[in-house]
Amino acid sequence: MIEPGFHPPCSVLRGKLLSVSERTSLAWVPSILLSPASSPRSQADDTDDGPAPGTPGLPGSMGNPKSEDLEVPDREGLQRITGLSSGRSALIVAVLCYINLLNYMDRFTVAGVLPDIEQFFDIGDSSSGLIQTVFISSYMVLAPVFGYLGDRYNRKYLMCGGIAFWSLVTLGSSFIPRERFWLLLLTRGLVGVGEASYSTIAPTLIADLFVADQRSRMLSVFYFAIPVGSGLGYIAGSKVKDVAGDWHWALRVTPGLGVLAVLLLFLVVREPPRGAVERHSHSPPLSPTSWWEDLRALARNPSFILSSLGFTAVAFVTGSLALWAPAFLLRSRVVLGETPPCLPGDSCSSSDSLIFGLITCLTGVLGVGLGVEISRRLRRSNPRADPLVCAAGLLGSSPFLFLSLACARGSIVATYIFIFIGETLLSMNWAIVADILLYVVIPTRRSTAEAFQIVLSHLLGDAGSPYLIGLISDRLRQGWPPSFLSEFRALQFSLMLCAFMGALGGAAFLGAAIFIEGDRRRAQLHVQGLLREAGPADDRIVVPQRGRSTRVPVSSVLI
């Protein structure tokens, strides 16, 4: 017998105990676990596996299909919750956007002067790819560290320290002599410290300042900086090199801008309360859980895992194109006879870095804006719009990227047209993927989720893709007679791997669309205090045993 007044957990539904098999079969159903402080009546009567339809602020799957989002605070409500005016919040986003632009500008400045770096250090394609791989690997390894810190400590100061360190290391990398290529690899690896400290934390600040469509718009502004900064990296790298007559000066632009970024962070940015804009006024604040609990919860979130795998394909493709597209276009022009080859000891003169940078800027702005707007409109009638738009972007970009490679031997103009279309479709993913993460993961583990996504996307994506493309190119060239045509063909065939990876990423986003509604609902209920996560102790209940209260498995008290 169970003692009077005992309040069973969620394994008791509608007044009867479930058998072990019944509880196993219902293990996947999102249930509302009742608070121990609830009244006996609420424990006995309110045992449904979800809240009643029409509960304020909850996604209405019954009776109100359009009420999917949380109650959105108005401007005064946001100011009261965050302690920041709407103007100050917008200014914070502007500062974060500037720093994000600067990060990507520095990352792709190296790609803009890659032919000159190859000539200066006398290295091949595989070693050139290693420059980006070392940086991404460092960034990937350090991301979980800053994700853990970002969920628990002041995010503003973490970013300030990381960006200051990044600026110093980037400046130092511009003074490395030609016989110390290994030192260039080391400094590029250390640059990952600054980027990891920022990329895992900044989106969570935006999430704590805005909700719903406001958040989506601000994230789109924030992620505009990725393609624009990447394009500016190519442009700054090639133009500063031309003006100064030395590629080393291209690496000395962003450190000065980094000092300004640290000052803006320190003076403008303020730390908002975590998750406050998503809670009801009567809901208790969320408390951080252990790092292992965070990882277990993320591993059980299929929307997060599948969208991260889809984003991994995006990272693979963009990482490969970012480093190798200007070099590929230069080799194409050499084969077509439109430009002289880049010989040892000479400065590589080509407009392709500038043109590709402009295309990257334009397609990024167009793609990010197009993706967010299409998703926002489709979301009104289809709650799965976000992953479906991401899937359409990736699946649509693959054939155009393949055509851009196939046409490079015949027409450089056609190649640029197909690159433009392919990169526009590819850029539709950036802001949407970030928004998916923020609404399927609770606020207290978002930095950890950002870090996990960074590790996964870079480990299987752009950490190895530049090196892999270069390695395949070198291996292909070994079996062919040395010529400019063989260099072009080898890189052309190796880059075709990007089209295949894009198709795999599209399939992952289609998988995420299956789970997105349920995962979003569970995250919202958790934030509002209406759902707590099941743990190992949730299958045990308190019963009288040998004169004392003892926690035992539910199955041991079934009659």
Side-chain angles (χ1 to χ4, degrees):
M1 294 291 293
I2 300 177
E3 65 180 6
F6 164 68
H7 307 315
C10 69
S11 297
V12 182
L13 290 180
R14 303 190 185 281
K16 71 172 184 177
L17 287 168
L18 299 178
S19 67
V20 175
S21 61
E22 288 174 321
R23 284 187 291 107
T24 303
S25 66
L26 290 174
W28 62 273
V29 178
S31 301
I32 302 302
L33 303 180
L34 299 172
S35 168
S38 301
S39 66
R41 178 194 173 281
S42 67
Q43 294 286 351
D45 297 340
D46 300 338
T47 53
D48 293 330
D49 57 341
T55 302
L58 301 184
S61 59
M62 300 173 60
N64 189 11
K66 292 187 179 181
S67 61
E68 285 196 17
D69 295 327
L70 294 166
E71 289 180 336
V72 181
D74 57 16
R75 182 174 299 181
E76 293 182 359
L78 283 174
Q79 182 172 345
R80 183 174 61 254
I81 294 169
T82 63
L84 300 169
S85 66
S86 58
R88 183 64 175 268
S89 297
L91 186 59
I92 290 174
V93 173
V95 171
L96 297 178
C97 186
Y98 164 73
I99 300 172
N100 203 31
L101 184 145
L102 190 60
N103 276 340
Y104 280 85
M105 181 177 170
D106 172 78
R107 185 183 299 189
F108 294 107
T109 297
V110 171
V113 294
L114 186 62
D116 296 275
I117 293 176
E118 287 183 325
Q119 295 298 329
F120 183 80
F121 289 105
D122 192 22
I123 55 177
D125 286 349
S126 57
S127 295
S128 299
L130 201 58
I131 297 174
Q132 188 76 347
T133 295
V134 167
F135 160 72
I136 295 296
S137 298
S138 169
Y139 174 46
M140 172 187 68
V141 170
L142 292 167
V145 177
F146 285 101
Y148 175 86
L149 296 174
D151 281 333
R152 290 159 178 82
Y153 300 102
N154 189 289
R155 293 170 284 188
K156 168 181 171 177
Y157 297 131
L158 288 171
M159 290 189 292
C160 285
I163 293 172
F165 180 79
W166 155 74
S167 299
L168 290 173
V169 173
T170 301
L171 181 63
S173 68
S174 67
F175 295 99
I176 296 173
R178 68 176 65 243
E179 65 273 9
R180 296 286 189 271
F181 176 68
W182 64 269
L183 193 55
L184 178 66
L185 295 178
L186 176 62
T187 55
R188 293 308 296 174
L190 292 175
V191 167
V193 176
E195 296 220 19
S197 70
Y198 180 78
S199 298
T200 58
I201 294 174
T204 67
L205 282 172
I206 297 175
D208 289 335
L209 291 171
F210 304 95
V211 291
D213 283 347
Q214 295 171 306
R215 177 190 291 170
S216 297
R217 293 190 186 97
M218 290 301 174
L219 284 173
S220 67
V221 172
F222 178 76
Y223 283 103
F224 275 140
I226 293 180
V228 174
S230 303
L232 288 176
Y234 294 114
I235 296 169
S238 60
K239 283 303 169 186
V240 171
K241 178 203 71 175
D242 291 343
V243 171
D246 184 358
W247 67 267
H248 291 87
W249 282 98
L251 301 182
R252 297 167 187 167
V253 175
T254 52
L257 299 175
V259 174
L260 176 61
V262 174
L263 292 175
L264 289 173
L265 266 179
F266 188 77
L267 297 175
V268 175
V269 175
R270 287 180 57 187
E271 177 89 0
R274 287 178 174 85
V277 295
E278 296 169 87
R279 292 196 305 267
H280 289 320
S281 58
H282 60 273
S283 302
L286 294 174
S287 300
T289 52
S290 72
W291 192 62
W292 288 112
E293 288 182 54
D294 291 347
L295 292 182
R296 281 196 296 268
L298 293 174
R300 294 193 299 264
N301 190 327
S303 297
F304 170 72
I305 295 296
L306 288 169
S307 63
S308 296
L309 288 173
F311 189 66
T312 299
V314 177
F316 186 100
V317 176
T318 56
S320 301
L321 294 179
L323 188 71
W324 288 115
F328 172 74
L329 293 167
L330 174 61
R331 294 182 188 185
S332 175
R333 288 186 183 276
V334 170
V335 170
L336 292 172
E338 296 181 6
T339 190
C342 188
L343 299 175
D346 295 338
S347 177
C348 299
S349 177
S350 172
S351 60
D352 291 302
S353 291
L354 176 62
I355 297 173
F356 186 74
L358 292 172
I359 288 177
T360 302
C361 287
L362 186 56
T363 57
V365 172
L366 184 62
V368 171
L370 191 63
V372 170
E373 186 61 23
I374 292 175
S375 178
R376 187 181 68 83
R377 291 178 181 272
L378 289 180
R379 207 181 295 166
R380 300 169 184 170
S381 57
N382 188 347
R384 300 175 179 178
D386 286 350
L388 291 177
V389 170
C390 290
L394 262 179
L395 294 173
S397 68
S398 294
F400 287 105
L401 293 177
F402 179 84
L403 288 172
S404 70
L405 297 169
C407 294
R409 177 74 192 278
S411 171
I412 197 70
V413 175
T415 297
Y416 274 121
I417 291 173
F418 288 129
I419 287 177
F420 184 93
I421 299 172
E423 286 215 322
T424 299
L425 294 171
L426 195 65
S427 298
M428 290 171 62
N429 292 273
W430 289 105
I432 301 177
V433 171
D435 205 12
I436 290 174
L437 182 149
L438 294 173
Y439 65 63
V440 300
V441 177
I442 63 173
T444 53
R445 56 176 63 114
R446 282 173 179 162
S447 289
T448 298
E450 291 278 355
F452 182 89
Q453 190 173 83
I454 286 172
V455 169
L456 182 65
S457 62
H458 292 313
L459 179 64
L460 303 179
D462 56 353
S465 64
Y467 177 71
L468 179 63
I469 297 298
L471 184 63
I472 294 173
S473 176
D474 280 348
R475 292 295 173 85
L476 290 174
R477 286 166 58 185
Q478 289 176 3
W480 297 338
S483 67
F484 295 120
L485 178 61
S486 66
E487 292 181 2
F488 164 76
R489 284 293 192 191
L491 191 54
Q492 180 188 43
F493 291 153
S494 60
L495 282 171
M496 287 182 179
L497 182 60
C498 295
F500 175 72
M501 290 301 299
L504 290 180
F509 279 119
L510 289 177
I514 299 173
F515 302 99
I516 196 76
E517 291 180 270
D519 291 337
R520 182 175 188 173
R521 176 181 173 84
R522 277 187 286 273
Q524 290 175 344
L525 295 177
H526 192 110
V527 170
Q528 296 165 11
L530 299 175
L531 174 67
R532 66 183 179 90
E533 294 172 332
D538 289 324
D539 284 333
R540 305 178 71 87
I541 60 175
V542 179
V543 299
Q545 191 177 74
R546 296 179 183 177
R548 65 174 66 183
S549 296
T550 307
R551 297 183 65 87
V552 298
V554 172
S555 59
S556 68
V557 297
L558 295 178
I559 300 173

